[in-house]
């Protein structure tokens, strides 16, 4: 065992304090989180994409880079997240049951989304079952609309044997009307 005189103890204490101070400086001035993320959204013409742009602008003021990655919609977003091809995503409620999301966490709900059904004027439609025999846009595969529309139609007795299902995005479906 060795002993230190008072001068050596003081030098050792100052050296230790300097190491601690440098360590604290490095820890406190380094980013505490990854400063770059990918946010998977729907199409550039959709509301989730515009929400993504607004979030990107907001978090940029805090030094965070949010890259918006557009796609077909909610199902594709969930598949990307599960595959590790994205960090965050906006998805439509009710679509998570179509993908194994056991490794994902939801941060919450942004808002409730209504189900809108648009049709040509002159059709007497009161129930979803009245769509039998018609051509119905059920959204494009990979979107949140597709599983929701097909589930609602199936629950009301409408399948591809009763109607013609077409996979159109909202812009193409609008033009189709």
């Amino acid at each position: 065992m060795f002993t230190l005189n008072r001068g050596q103890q003081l030098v050792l204490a100052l050296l230790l304090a300097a190491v601690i101070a440098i360590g604290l400086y490095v820890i406190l001035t380094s980013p505490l989180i990854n400063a770059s993320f990918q946010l998977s959204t729907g199409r550039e013409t959709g509301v989730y994409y515009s929400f993504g742009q607004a979030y990107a602008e907001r978090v940029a003021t805090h030094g965070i880079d949010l890259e918006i990655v557009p796609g077909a919609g909610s199902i594709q977003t969930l598949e990307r997240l599960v595959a590790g091809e994205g960090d965050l995503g906006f998805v439509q409620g009710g679509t998570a049951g179509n993908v194994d999301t056991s490794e994902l966490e939801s941060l919450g709900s942004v808002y409730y989304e209504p189900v809108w059904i648009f049709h040509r004027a002159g059709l007497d439609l009161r129930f979803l079952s009245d769509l039998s025999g018609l051509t119905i846009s059920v959204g494009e595969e990979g979107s949140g609309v597709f599983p929701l529309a097909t589930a609602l139609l199936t629950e009301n007795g409408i399948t591809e044997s009763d109607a013609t299902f077409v996979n159109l995005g909202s812009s193409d479906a609008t033009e189709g009307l």
Side-chain angles (χ1 to χ4, degrees), residues 6 15 19 40 46 54 60 74 82 95 98 116 142 145:
R6 233 199 223 309
L15 185 59
V19 168
S40 185
S74 295
V82 167
T95 59
N98 296 284
W116 296 91
V145 172

Side-chain angles (χ1 to χ4, degrees), residues 102-151:
S102 60
E103 297 298 314
L104 302 180
E105 291 289 331
S106 172
L107 297 179
S109 180
V110 177
Y111 63 91
Y112 290 108
E113 290 188 63
V115 174
W116 296 91
I117 299 174
F118 296 95
H119 62 82
R120 288 194 181 110
L123 290 177
D124 184 25
L125 302 176
R126 295 182 58 217
F127 304 101
L128 288 179
S129 58
D130 294 337
L131 296 171
S132 182
L134 300 177
T135 299
I136 306 166
S137 175
V138 292
E140 60 186 313
E141 291 195 42
S143 74
V145 172
F146 179 75
L148 181 60
T150 53

Side-chain angles (χ1 to χ4, degrees), residues 23-67:
L24 285 173
Y25 175 78
V26 169
I27 289 171
L28 295 175
T29 60
S30 297
L32 297 178
I33 60 170
N34 180 4
S36 179
F37 297 95
Q38 285 188 326
L39 174 67
S40 185
T41 68
R43 298 260 178 240
E44 290 92 341
T45 55
V47 70
Y48 289 170
Y49 184 83
S50 63
F51 286 166
Q53 289 179 313
Y55 273 88
E57 290 174 15
R58 175 74 182 215
V59 299
T61 64
H62 299 284
I64 299 171
D65 177 44
L66 190 60
E67 177 190 355

Side-chain angles (χ1 to χ4, degrees), residues 43 45-47 137 139-140 145 167-177:
R43 298 260 178 240
T45 55
V47 70
S137 175
E140 60 186 313
V145 172
N167 299 104
L168 300 175
S170 58
S171 296
D172 291 335
T174 302
E175 286 181 33
L177 280 175

